Amino acid sequence: MNKNDFQELLDNRTISELYYFDEIGSTNDEAKKLIRNKMYESDGASAACSEASPMLFIADTQVSGRGRMGRSWSSPPSTNISMSLVHKTELPGECIPGVTILAALAVTEAIKTYSERYGVALPDIYIKWPNDVIINNKKLCGILTELEYPYIICGIGINVNASSFPKEIQDKATSLAIEGRAIIDRGILAALVTEALTKLISTYEETLNLGFIIDRYNSLLISKDKEVILTSENIDFPDGHYISRGIDMSGALIVEELSSRKTIPVRFGEVSVRGLYGYT
Ligand code: BTN
């Protein structure tokens, strides 16, 4: 992977700027730094943020990659994709979590495009709500979306060519190379993800709801119509047996309690499929 892999995205204005690093702490942190400097230099967000198309930060390797809930995210040299798509937005606050839903869909659809175009046979690929991408009940991709208003930083880590994982996570993590028994071109895949995500975000900015992707997303949802276990640090879900019914227009996961048939929208927390004891 190198800078040239993204020239076409620059030429056709899918992205306005490219920041490529052989090694960096975290592409999300680097993006935040740049945004803050720009705002400081030009004395105000509106003056600083004139880019119409997103900026792409991408690194061959990250040495302090961050995951959700304060966890770290490892990406060894020349192996995986670590990228942050930075988009200036006018989306209202309540629509921001929807971007994370779009990112999972973009990654999943980009991987399917790659596998069809380059003949890499992969097992079925799913999304674990809201935004983990999984294959073979193991995590393939994690997404960390952060807001540095008016920019959304969509950090995407995909396990692409990793051939093994540390013992602690080997039952929970997998890569495209392991599942597809082929080496994947990271530059091509990262460009496909960027294209897919920028398109989805621009439609979302017109519709301001996720109606346009509900069916696509729900058809990829690992928990769809299965019994799920709901956990959250902040919310006490009433006791019961819950069935996942898929997302609504806002991106909340609708779950139905079996005996009362009542439905609740889940906006935060962890939703795991009952009976799948591994990662999902
Ligand atoms: C998760 O915990 O599932 C989210 C992992 C997100 C990792 C990506 S890699 C690119 C970007 N930079 C980071 O430091 N984190 C995100």
Side-chain angles (χ1 to χ4, degrees), residues 1-255:
M1 183 169 70
N2 62 49
K3 271 183 166 180
N4 297 335
D5 291 324
F6 307 98
Q7 192 55 47
E8 205 180 314
L9 296 179
L10 285 164
D11 292 345
N12 67 20
R13 304 292 300 156
T14 300
I15 54 171
S16 61
E17 283 171 55
L18 171 70
Y19 297 91
Y20 178 86
F21 308 91
D22 286 329
E23 182 183 294
I24 197 74
S26 146
T27 52
N28 271 31
D29 290 347
E30 203 54 32
K32 279 189 191 171
K33 228 188 286 171
L34 184 104
I35 294 164
R36 286 177 190 161
N37 284 345
K38 278 192 169 200
M39 298 225 231
Y40 176 76
E41 277 164 17
S42 57
D43 198 19
S46 54
C49 308
S50 56
E51 298 86 6
S53 355
M55 298 181 276
L56 179 64
F57 290 70
I58 187 153
D60 183 69
T61 180
Q62 293 185 128
V63 291
S64 338
R66 291 187 294 111
R68 283 185 295 149
M69 293 179 257
R71 291 193 280 250
S72 61
W73 182 265
S74 148
S75 25
S78 308
T79 307
N80 295 328
I81 291 176
S82 306
M83 59 183 267
S84 303
L85 193 72
V86 179
H87 178 74
K88 184 195 170 197
T89 188
E90 285 169 15
L91 281 172
E94 68 274 13
C95 288
I96 303 285
V99 175
T100 261
I101 297 271
L102 296 180
L105 183 66
V107 170
T108 308
E109 294 189 338
I111 291 171
K112 285 187 172 206
T113 304
Y114 185 102
S115 105
E116 280 160 23
R117 205 175 279 175
Y118 299 98
V120 177
L122 288 167
D124 287 342
I125 180 160
Y126 293 99
I127 296 172
K128 179 179 185 234
W129 182 88
N131 63 3
D132 285 351
V133 178
I134 57 180
I135 290 193
N136 205 3
N137 289 332
K138 296 178 182 173
K139 181 156 165 169
L140 182 79
C141 162
I143 294 165
L144 177 68
T145 304
E146 298 182 298
L147 190 61
E148 188 74 29
Y149 195 79
Y151 283 100
I152 300 178
I153 303 169
C154 200
I156 299 174
I158 311 175
N159 298 329
V160 181
N161 289 323
S163 54
S164 62
F165 290 89
K167 224 176 168 191
E168 322 78 78
I169 57 165
Q170 66 189 200
D171 294 340
K172 295 182 178 170
T174 192
S175 73
L176 290 172
I178 292 172
E179 301 300 335
R181 295 164 196 266
I183 295 296
I184 307 296
D185 187 313
R186 291 178 299 152
I188 293 176
L189 182 57
L192 288 172
V193 171
T194 305
E195 264 171 322
L197 183 53
T198 51
K199 262 193 214 151
L200 289 171
I201 292 176
S202 86
T203 307
Y204 187 40
E205 287 184 327
E206 284 162 25
T207 61
L208 300 182
N209 68 64
L210 296 173
F212 71 107
I213 54 103
I214 284 188
D215 291 346
R216 275 148 78 187
Y217 185 93
N218 286 341
S219 70
L220 294 163
L221 194 63
I222 187 105
S223 63
K224 180 83 170 49
D225 298 325
K226 300 210 175 83
E227 187 173 351
V228 287
I229 302 168
L230 310 176
T231 40
S232 162
E233 279 179 9
N234 312 315
I235 308 161
D236 276 332
F237 295 104
D239 285 343
H241 291 278
Y242 291 98
I243 308 292
S244 154
R245 294 298 185 206
I247 59 162
D248 67 8
M249 305 253 271
S250 73
L253 183 73
I254 303 301
V255 295

